[in-house]
Amino acid sequence: MNRQRKKVLLLGWDAADWKIINRLMDEGQMPATKYLIENGVMGNISTLTPAYSPMLWTSIATGKYADKHGILGFSEPTPDHSGIRPVSTSSRKVKALWNILTQEGYKTHVVNWWPSFPAEPVNGIYVSNMFPKIASLPIDRQLLPDDTVHPPDLQNLFAHFRVHPLELTAEHILPFIPDLEMDIFKIEKKTEVVAKLIAEASSVHAAATLALEQEEWDFAAIYWDTIDHFCHAFMNYSPPQMKGIKDEDYKLYKHVVDGAYRLMDMMLGRLLQMIDKNCTVILISDHGFKSGHLRSMHTPNEPAGPAHHHRDVGIFCAMGPDIHKDEMVYGVSLLDIAPTILSIFGVPVGEDMDGKPLLEIFQTPPVVKTIPTWEAVPGECGMLPDEKRDLDPAHSAQAIKQLIELGYIEDPGKDTAEAIEKTVDELNYNLAQVYVGTNKNSLAKPLLEKLFEKNPYRGRYVFKLVNCYLEEGLLDGAIKIIEKFKIHASKKILTKEQIERAKNRKVPEILNHKEKQQWIRENKINPVKESMQAKSDLFSIKIVEGDILLKQGKPRKALQKYREMEKDKPKTRKANYQMGNAFLKLRQWKDAETLFRNVIEFDPDHQNAWLGMGICCYKQERYDEALDLLINAASLNFYNPVTHFNIGRVLSETGKFEDAANSFETALKINPNFGLARNMLIGLLENQLKDSQKAKLFKAGDVEQPKDEFSSTQEDLIIKPSQEKTDSTPIIVVSGLPRSGTSMMMQLLENAGIPVYTDEARKADESNPKGYYEHEKVKQLVRNSKWLGEAKGKAIKIVLPLLYKIPASLNYKVILMKRDMEEIIESQHRMLVNSGKIKEGTYAPGIEEIYRKYVDKMEGWAQKNKNIELLEVDYNQALANPTEIIHRVTGFLKLEKDTKILSKSIDPKLYRTKNEKNDEKI
C-alpha cells in the first residue's frame, strides 16, 4: 500500500484526573506528561452514562454508544447459561479501531484493552487483558491462558515478561509507602495490593514495549487500569486526611495515589522515547476520580457501586506532527477518539459512529470521508471467529473473582440461576441507562418497569423510571411509582435495635470458611447496607417530588419541598441545585445564581450549575460573564444543546450574529428537534444575516447533512452532524376561541381528505350537531405535549389559549378562526345555559378583555415562531362567501379539491345572530 507513513499511539489511563496531574506537574513530578501537553493540546473529555469502564473503553475503541457495541457491564451469562463470566471480546458486536485498520491493511498492536480477551487475530500483535493478571501470590509460574496473545507463537515469549508481585523489592514499594517497614510486607493486606498493582502495571508496560519493538506498526492502543485501582483502594488515605481514617493509616498510605501517577508518567516517558516525529500520541482517561472534598466514605449498596467515586470528566491530550502546540481544546467526548484516529489515517468514518473527528486539534484539518457503516464491509478484519467466542470457565472464574474483590459485581454465591438472573437484571439496567443518556426514554421505560416490578424498593431503578415518565409528561404515573417505592423502601429500614441484633448474630459453626463468609454477607452485612441505602434513597426521592411540582408549574411548593430537605441535610448539593431551578422558574435570577454558585463551590464539575449561572447572568444582562460561564458548561459537557442555545442567545445580544448562528446550528445538530433554537436561527438568518435561502431550508427542515465527506472547516465540524433528516411534516391546527367556527373548519378539512386527530369522546349534541372534533389529550398540553407528534399530517383542534403551549420542536400550519367577539360570548353563554351550567344572564366578568388579549397576541407570536404558518379565517365571511374561503384554505394547505363539494361543509342554516335565543351551533 502506497501511503505516507503515519503512526498513532493511543494510551489509556483509566480514571486519570487533571486535578491530580496538574498538581504533580507543578511540583515537577510528571515531566513526561508535561512535555506531552506543552507540545500538543489538552482538555477535558466527557464520559458517558453509565461510567463503567468496560463499556467506556469499548465506546472509545468503536466510536459508538453501548447499545450499539454490545458491552453492557462487567459480567454476563455464559452462552449456555451455566454460569457468569467477565465481559469479553466475544461480546462486542461491532468492529473496533484495530479491526477497521486491519481491514485497510494497517499494522495494529493492542495491549491490555478492556475487554480484550480472547485475543483478536489482527494484523499485528494483540495482548489481551488476561495477560497481567496473577491468580495468586505464590510464584507458581503458571502458563498464560490460551488465546491471551496473538499471534499464538508469541505467547511463550510474552509470558516471560510478566512481573510477579513477589519479584518486587523494597525499592519498588517505598516510593508509594515511604514509611513502610518491610517486615510487614508479607502480612499487610494493603501493601499486598500495592505490590500487585505495581506488578500488573509493569507487566502491561513490558508487553507494550516488547510489541512496539518486536514488529513494525501503524497504530498501537495500550491500556492501564492502574490509576483507577490505586484510587479505589487508597484515595481516601490521600491528603487532606478524611474523618474516619486512622492517623497511622493516613501517615502510611497518603502518598500511594501520587505514586501511581508518577509510575504512569515514567512509563509514558519511555514510550515517548520509542516513537518518531511522524507519530501522533493521544493520552486519555475514560473518567476522572473524586479527590479532596469530593471524596466519600460511602459506596452505594449496588453492583458497580464503586463507580460512584468517579468524576464525569477525564483527561485528553494529543501531540503530533500536525497538532497545535500548548493549546486548550474543548468539547471532547469519548466517542470522538475513534473518528479522529480514522481521520488521521485518511480512513472513512462510519456514519453510524456517534462521535465526531476532533478537527480543531489540527493545524491543517484533514478532509474527512465517510462510509455508511463498516459493519457491512466484507473482508478479513481480525475479529474473533465463532469458535473462539466461548471463554474457558477456569479463566472466567479467575477474572470474576477480581471483579468481586474490586466491588464491581456481587458475589454470585452458590445459586447459579439466581446469579444469572441478577446479572441479566444488571445488564438490562445498564442498557436502560444508556437509553436514558441518549434520549431514548421510550426504550428505557419498559426495561425499568420490569426491574421496578421485581425490586420496588431499589431507588436507582425508581429514579431513572420516574425520569422517563416525567419526560413523557406522565406525572400521575410518576407519582404512583414514587408512592409504591416509599412503601417498599420503608420496610427495608432497620431500627437501632434490629441493627445491633444483626451484628450480634452468631455464625453457624457447621459452615466451612467460604459458607461462613456468604452467611455473614446475607445475614449481617447486606441487611444493614440495604437499610442505609433505603434511608438515602427516601431522602433523595424528595428531590424528585420537588421536580414533579416544578413540572406541574408549582415552583413555590417545590421550593418548600427542597427546604424541608435542607433541614435534614443543610449542605445537600442536589437540593441546592434543584432550588436554583425553582428560583429560575420564579424568575428570581439573583437567588438562583447564589444557589448555583454554592453548588459549583462544592463541585466545580457540575456542568448544569454552570449552565444555570450562565442563564442567570444572561437574564441580568451581564453578557460577558454569562458567556464565560456557558463556555465552561460546554467544556464539561459539549453534547448539551441547551448550553449552545444559550451561548447563541448571549452572542445575539452582543451583536455577534454569525457566531450566534453557529451556536444555534450546533444545538440543532445535537438535537434536530430543538424548536426554540431553530426559531432563533431562522430569525437571525432572515433579519440580521440576510440569508433568506438558508432560512427557508431550516423552516422546511430540508437542511441536508453531508453524505460523502465532511466539510474541512472547523466551524462546520464542531460536532458530527445528525445523519437523519428530521421529519418536517406539519401538523394542521384549527384554533380559535370556543364557538368561533372551529368545528365547522374541522369538518371542511375532513371532507377535503385530511385525517383528523380526534378520539370522538365528546359526542355531537344540540350545540354541535355535526360533532366537536376534539381529543382529550389536547387538554393536557400544558403539562404533556409529547403525544403531539402523533398528529403530524393530520388536522387537530386546539382552543386558542392552549395553542400558545404547543412545542417549538414541530412544524404547524395554523388556521385561526375569528368571529365577532360579542357573538362568541353570546354563543358561549347560550351553550352553557342550555347545558344547565349557568343561569340566563350570568356572564363572567372581564371575559371579553381576556379573549381579546388572546387574539391580539397571535400575530406577534406567529411571526416569532418560525415553525408556524398562519392563515386567519373570518367565520362570518366564510358563511357569506364560502367559495372564497375554501380557495384560501386549499391554497394554504396545497390541496386540489372540488370547491362545490367542500362548500357543503359550511352550512349557513346553523348560524343564528347573537340576539336570537337559538344561537348558532358550530
Side-chain angles (χ1 to χ4, degrees):
M1 180 179 288
N2 293 322
R3 59 174 182 268
Q4 183 181 353
R5 188 72 174 185
K6 292 183 178 179
K7 291 185 176 183
V8 175
L9 177 61
L10 174 62
L11 305 176
W13 291 357
D14 201 307
D17 196 297
W18 284 126
K19 286 190 174 183
I20 308 293
I21 292 174
N22 287 334
R23 173 175 59 80
L24 292 175
M25 285 195 302
D26 291 343
E27 295 171 0
Q29 297 191 58
M30 294 188 72
T33 308
K34 185 175 183 180
Y35 174 83
L36 186 65
I37 291 168
E38 289 178 345
N39 289 277
V41 297
M42 68 172 289
N44 289 327
I45 190 167
S46 58
T47 192
L48 306 174
T49 302
Y52 300 162
S53 292
M55 302 169 68
L56 301 179
W57 289 102
T58 306
S59 288
I60 290 168
T62 61
K64 297 180 180 181
Y65 286 109
D67 58 324
K68 292 181 181 178
H69 65 57
I71 301 295
L72 293 170
F74 294 90
S75 59
E76 63 191 3
T78 56
D80 60 0
H81 273 233
S82 61
I84 61 172
R85 68 182 188 183
V87 289
S88 65
T89 312
S90 59
S91 310
R92 199 184 70 235
K93 299 185 295 188
V94 300
K95 295 173 183 176
L97 267 170
W98 43 84
N99 303 121
I100 296 171
L101 292 173
T102 289
Q103 194 156 9
E104 289 292 285
Y106 290 89
K107 295 280 287 185
T108 68
H109 295 339
V110 180
V111 178
N112 196 46
W113 209 259
W114 192 10
S116 58
F117 181 81
E120 295 184 83
V122 297
N123 182 21
I125 297 174
Y126 193 110
V127 181
S128 81
N129 62 308
M130 195 65 74
F131 175 80
K133 309 303 179 188
I134 302 295
S136 58
L137 274 181
I139 302 180
D140 49 19
R141 290 299 179 190
Q142 63 180 357
L143 295 175
L144 284 170
D146 291 341
D147 300 315
T148 298
V149 177
H150 172 85
D153 58 7
L154 292 179
Q155 181 149 307
N156 288 337
L157 170 64
F158 274 83
H160 289 291
F161 286 81
R162 283 211 298 178
V163 179
H164 195 284
L166 291 185
E167 293 179 280
L168 303 181
T169 66
E171 285 71 25
H172 298 110
I173 306 296
L174 288 174
F176 295 80
I177 315 175
D179 296 326
L180 178 67
E181 297 177 20
M182 288 308 294
D183 59 347
I184 303 177
F185 176 63
K186 294 181 181 179
I187 59 173
E188 172 55 50
K189 180 67 175 176
K190 291 186 178 65
T191 310
E192 193 176 288
V193 170
V194 170
K196 178 174 175 292
L197 295 179
I198 295 172
E200 290 182 356
S202 301
S203 294
V204 173
H205 181 68
T209 54
L210 179 61
L212 297 181
E213 291 175 334
Q214 187 73 15
E215 290 187 10
E216 281 295 324
W217 55 279
D218 300 299
F219 169 73
I222 308 163
Y223 163 81
W224 286 265
D225 57 18
T226 309
I227 290 174
D228 181 74
H229 289 186
F230 267 113
C231 287
H232 280 297
F234 294 99
M235 180 59 82
N236 285 356
Y237 298 95
S238 297
Q241 185 174 354
M242 291 182 71
K243 184 178 179 180
I245 298 296
K246 296 178 182 178
D247 291 343
E248 58 268 28
D249 287 343
Y250 173 68
K251 181 182 178 183
L252 199 58
Y253 302 116
K254 64 182 180 181
H255 300 295
V256 172
V257 170
D258 285 1
Y261 277 89
R262 290 195 301 269
L263 176 65
M264 298 312 303
D265 187 78
M266 287 189 288
M267 293 178 176
L268 172 63
R270 173 68 185 113
L271 293 173
L272 293 180
Q273 293 173 358
M274 300 178 69
I275 62 172
D276 58 33
K277 63 180 181 179
N278 292 319
C279 183
T280 298
V281 181
I282 299 175
L283 172 63
I284 58 172
S285 66
D286 55 339
H287 52 72
F289 204 96
K290 293 176 182 176
S291 59
H293 69 281
L294 294 176
R295 295 173 295 175
S296 171
M297 296 290 284
H298 171 66
T299 298
N301 183 37
E302 60 187 52
H308 169 75
H309 302 287
H310 297 162
R311 285 177 70 218
D312 290 339
V313 291
I315 70 165
F316 170 83
C317 45
M319 177 187 78
D322 200 29
I323 305 291
H324 288 294
K325 287 182 171 51
D326 200 17
E327 288 192 9
M328 291 290 295
V329 62
Y330 300 95
V332 182
S333 164
L334 303 184
L335 299 165
D336 302 335
I337 303 304
T340 301
I341 291 172
L342 292 177
S343 302
I344 292 173
F345 285 113
V347 174
V349 175
E351 292 173 10
D352 57 344
M353 290 182 176
D354 297 303
K356 66 182 184 300
L358 296 169
L359 296 195
E360 60 268 34
I361 72 174
F362 297 99
Q363 296 175 7
T364 305
V367 175
V368 184
K369 298 178 180 179
T370 64
I371 186 174
T373 178
W374 278 100
E375 309 314 316
V377 178
E380 178 54 46
C381 63
M383 292 187 79
L384 281 180
D386 292 340
E387 64 269 16
K388 290 288 183 71
R389 291 188 171 267
D390 289 338
L391 299 184
D392 186 306
H395 301 147
S396 295
Q398 177 185 327
I400 286 289
K401 182 185 177 195
Q402 177 158 324
L403 291 172
I404 293 168
E405 290 173 349
L406 289 168
Y408 281 114
I409 66 172
E410 293 180 327
D411 189 331
K414 289 182 176 180
D415 192 331
T416 301
E418 183 182 352
I420 291 172
E421 183 180 8
K422 285 183 178 179
T423 301
V424 171
D425 284 349
E426 198 61 25
L427 294 174
N428 283 332
Y429 176 60
N430 292 344
L431 179 58
Q433 290 188 83
V434 174
Y435 285 148
V436 170
T438 53
N439 297 314
K440 299 173 184 173
N441 290 294
S442 61
L443 297 177
K445 193 171 75 169
L447 293 172
L448 292 167
E449 285 173 333
K450 288 180 181 178
L451 292 169
F452 175 64
E453 197 61 35
K454 290 172 67 175
N455 299 283
Y457 62 91
R458 292 206 181 277
R460 63 193 185 122
Y461 298 158
V462 173
F463 299 137
K464 291 286 189 297
L465 179 57
V466 168
N467 179 69
C468 290
Y469 272 69
L470 294 182
E471 284 296 313
E472 294 184 9
L474 305 173
L475 303 189
D476 293 339
I479 292 169
K480 288 178 182 178
I481 290 168
I482 290 172
E483 293 306 316
K484 182 176 179 179
F485 161 72
K486 287 162 73 173
I487 292 170
H488 287 274
S490 297
K491 295 176 182 178
K492 291 287 180 180
I493 297 177
L494 302 179
T495 63
K496 289 183 179 179
E497 292 77 13
Q498 289 172 321
I499 292 173
E500 282 302 313
R501 283 201 298 270
K503 288 180 178 179
N504 294 327
R505 290 186 70 181
K506 292 184 178 180
V507 182
E509 294 296 333
I510 60 172
L511 302 178
N512 62 37
H513 177 73
K514 187 173 182 180
E515 290 171 337
K516 284 180 180 179
Q517 294 301 311
Q518 181 74 14
W519 190 94
I520 290 171
R521 266 196 306 273
E522 293 177 354
N523 295 280
K524 286 174 170 279
I525 299 174
N526 288 349
V528 175
K529 282 189 174 181
E530 285 185 351
S531 176
M532 293 173 60
Q533 191 65 50
K535 280 185 178 180
S536 176
D537 290 340
L538 285 168
F539 176 81
S540 297
I541 205 70
K542 293 179 183 178
I543 293 178
V544 182
E545 291 175 316
D547 296 347
I548 291 175
L549 290 168
L550 282 178
K551 290 272 186 181
Q552 292 174 324
K554 301 174 183 177
R556 295 186 189 280
K557 287 188 176 181
L559 272 174
Q560 185 178 348
K561 176 70 70 173
Y562 300 138
R563 281 174 172 149
E564 287 174 10
M565 298 179 62
E566 285 260 295
K567 294 176 184 177
D568 297 328
K569 295 184 181 179
K571 293 184 179 179
T572 302
R573 178 185 59 177
K574 289 183 179 178
N576 272 271
Y577 171 67
Q578 296 300 70
M579 285 173 68
N581 279 336
F583 277 122
L584 275 183
K585 294 273 186 180
L586 292 169
R587 306 179 71 81
Q588 296 180 24
W589 315 123
K590 289 185 178 179
D591 291 330
E593 181 184 351
T594 299
L595 287 161
F596 291 135
R597 196 178 298 278
N598 290 343
V599 174
I600 290 169
E601 286 177 1
F602 180 79
D603 182 5
D605 297 328
H606 200 298
Q607 66 97 10
N608 283 328
W610 288 104
L611 172 58
M613 277 186 65
I615 293 172
C616 291
C617 291
Y618 164 75
K619 290 294 186 180
Q620 296 173 77
E621 300 183 1
R622 289 152 47 198
Y623 299 126
D624 290 343
E625 191 175 350
L627 187 59
D628 289 341
L629 293 166
L630 292 167
I631 288 174
N632 205 4
S635 72
L636 290 168
N637 179 12
F638 188 80
Y639 290 94
N640 185 345
V642 178
T643 302
H644 296 284
F645 168 74
N646 281 286
I647 289 173
R649 291 206 295 178
V650 172
L651 292 169
S652 293
E653 292 293 340
T654 56
K656 298 176 181 177
F657 300 123
E658 288 190 7
D659 291 338
N662 286 335
S663 293
F664 292 134
E665 283 196 62
T666 300
L668 286 169
K669 286 175 182 178
I670 298 171
N671 179 6
N673 295 317
F674 196 163
L676 289 175
R678 182 174 62 169
N679 287 337
M680 293 287 286
L681 176 59
I682 292 170
L684 276 178
L685 292 171
E686 288 181 338
N687 302 319
Q688 280 79 28
L689 300 177
K690 307 301 181 184
D691 192 343
S692 58
Q693 192 64 32
K694 192 172 183 179
K696 286 180 181 178
L697 292 176
F698 276 100
K699 276 186 177 180
D702 287 337
V703 181
E704 291 286 350
Q705 306 297 353
K707 294 295 181 183
D708 298 323
E709 60 181 54
F710 291 108
S711 164
S712 61
T713 64
Q714 181 177 332
E715 289 76 10
D716 291 338
L717 276 157
I718 298 175
I719 65 161
K720 181 180 178 181
S722 168
Q723 297 301 323
E724 296 184 0
K725 197 173 176 180
T726 56
D727 182 1
S728 60
T729 304
I731 299 169
I732 300 168
V733 178
V734 175
S735 188
L737 294 169
R739 314 301 292 164
S740 62
T742 51
S743 297
M744 178 189 75
M745 182 55 65
M746 287 291 290
Q747 184 188 356
L748 187 152
L749 296 180
E750 183 180 39
N751 291 338
I754 295 174
V756 294
Y757 191 80
T758 175
D759 56 8
E760 299 182 356
R762 191 177 184 186
K763 304 299 182 184
D765 57 20
E766 181 185 1
S767 296
N768 257 18
K770 294 189 177 183
Y772 283 88
Y773 291 90
E774 294 175 355
H775 201 297
E776 283 295 307
K777 288 183 179 179
V778 173
K779 298 177 183 177
Q780 305 170 15
L781 262 176
V782 174
R783 58 187 178 90
N784 178 18
S785 61
K786 298 287 185 180
W787 57 270
L788 196 52
E790 300 169 6
K792 286 183 179 180
K794 301 177 183 177
I796 184 172
K797 179 177 169 181
I798 301 177
V799 68
L800 184 56
L802 291 179
L803 182 65
Y804 298 115
K805 304 296 182 183
I806 59 177
S809 56
L810 302 170
N811 290 322
Y812 308 91
K813 284 180 174 284
V814 177
I815 300 175
L816 178 67
M817 299 302 297
K818 303 181 78 171
R819 184 183 179 186
D820 179 82
M821 190 63 71
E822 291 185 6
E823 288 192 14
I824 286 176
I825 293 172
E826 185 60 31
S827 181
Q828 291 178 10
H829 175 73
R830 181 63 42 216
M831 182 177 177
L832 293 171
V833 170
N834 291 342
S835 66
K837 293 181 179 180
I838 63 171
K839 294 181 180 180
E840 181 74 43
T842 303
Y843 293 88
I847 190 70
E848 181 175 347
E849 181 182 357
I850 293 171
Y851 279 175
R852 289 193 187 282
K853 286 182 178 179
Y854 278 132
V855 175
D856 293 344
K857 181 181 176 181
M858 171 54 64
E859 185 176 354
W861 177 79
Q863 288 180 353
K864 180 180 177 182
N865 290 277
K866 309 299 181 180
N867 55 322
I868 290 171
E869 293 182 58
L870 177 65
L871 174 68
E872 295 185 359
V873 174
D874 186 274
Y875 169 71
N876 300 84
Q877 289 181 6
L879 295 177
N881 191 351
T883 301
E884 179 187 341
I885 295 300
I886 290 169
H887 275 303
R888 289 180 60 207
V889 171
T890 54
F892 178 63
L893 301 178
K894 296 180 174 58
L895 301 174
E896 295 182 3
K897 293 292 179 181
D898 190 324
T899 304
K900 291 183 179 180
I901 294 176
L902 293 181
S903 64
K904 295 178 182 179
S905 306
I906 302 176
D907 186 358
K909 294 179 182 179
L910 291 177
Y911 174 67
R912 304 285 188 276
T913 64
K914 65 177 180 176
N915 295 317
E916 291 179 357
K917 289 282 185 183
N918 191 17
D919 197 9
E920 58 84 25
K921 301 168 183 178
I922 297 177

